[in-house]
Amino acid sequence: MRNTKVTIEVWDLWIRLFHWGLVFAVLVSFYTTKTGGAPFLFPIEVHAQAGYLLLGLLTFRWLWGALGSVYARFSTFLYPPSKTVAYSKAVIKRQTSAYASHNPLGGWMVIVMLLSLSFQAVSGLFLSDDIFFQGPLYGLFGQDASSQLRTLHYFNSDLLLILIGLHFVALIAHRLLGEPLLAAMLSGTKHLPQQPLDARNESLNPATLRLRAIGILFIAAGVVLWLWF
């Protein structure tokens, strides 16, 4: 019998815009710190601007994870430890089931990466290079706290590189298993070998989701503008 794939709409437009905006902001952030920053005249200022963009994107994602579309909500793809361990064992045995949203391991990886990125963006608000840039919250808790945050900001950037590397490994692994996640994040559609375990109907109509997204965008933009100016 010929295998037929299940096609399912997973990632809404807002999640896709967030994802590729995040990729851009992270690339600029790392480029301006891990290289000389050319051709930017003042790399630290560009780095700070990328940080503000990152902060706005993350504000949107945290709120959209609570109020957004069904597959974007954290409640859809965060599983208890018992199910996560069971899925991990299934991965080792290569007996995994299909998931429309993130699988149990992928869901917790998303949270870890969002937390790490959030710390990076927020801690940057407390830093200064003593020449071109001073974060809007620099010195709020004293010089010692800013110095400690600078150290943590540096080490967390290395942690992020490790997490991004693991993300690429997962993309390759899923591609080899016949699940092209990159294509799904471009189109919003997944083509799965079987009915996903977490398949569910959207409880909110498009107009409600659109209004929520616009409202959250205003909140995220307001946070960034308040800190920037």
Side-chain angles (χ1 to χ4, degrees), residues 33-134:
T33 56
K34 302 298 184 181
T35 71
F40 301 118
L41 185 59
F42 300 109
I44 188 61
E45 291 187 356
V46 177
H47 180 80
Q49 291 163 1
Y52 284 121
L53 174 60
L54 184 63
L55 187 62
L57 289 167
L58 289 167
T59 300
F60 175 86
R61 184 63 183 98
W62 284 114
L63 292 174
W64 196 241
L67 304 171
S69 58
V70 61
Y71 292 117
R73 291 199 289 270
F74 300 131
S75 59
T76 299
F77 59 79
L78 289 183
Y79 296 85
S82 58
K83 288 190 176 182
T84 305
V85 171
Y87 181 82
S88 302
K89 292 179 180 178
V91 169
I92 296 173
K93 297 177 181 178
R94 302 186 67 180
Q95 297 176 350
T96 57
S97 300
Y99 287 83
S101 187
H102 301 290
N103 62 55
L105 282 177
W108 286 110
M109 176 58 76
V110 167
I111 294 300
V112 170
M113 186 169 287
L114 287 177
L115 287 171
S116 182
L117 286 166
S118 297
F119 175 81
Q120 198 70 2
V122 172
S123 62
L125 300 173
F126 295 85
L127 305 184
S128 171
D129 71 343
D130 298 322
I131 303 175
F132 297 110
F133 172 76
Q134 180 171 299

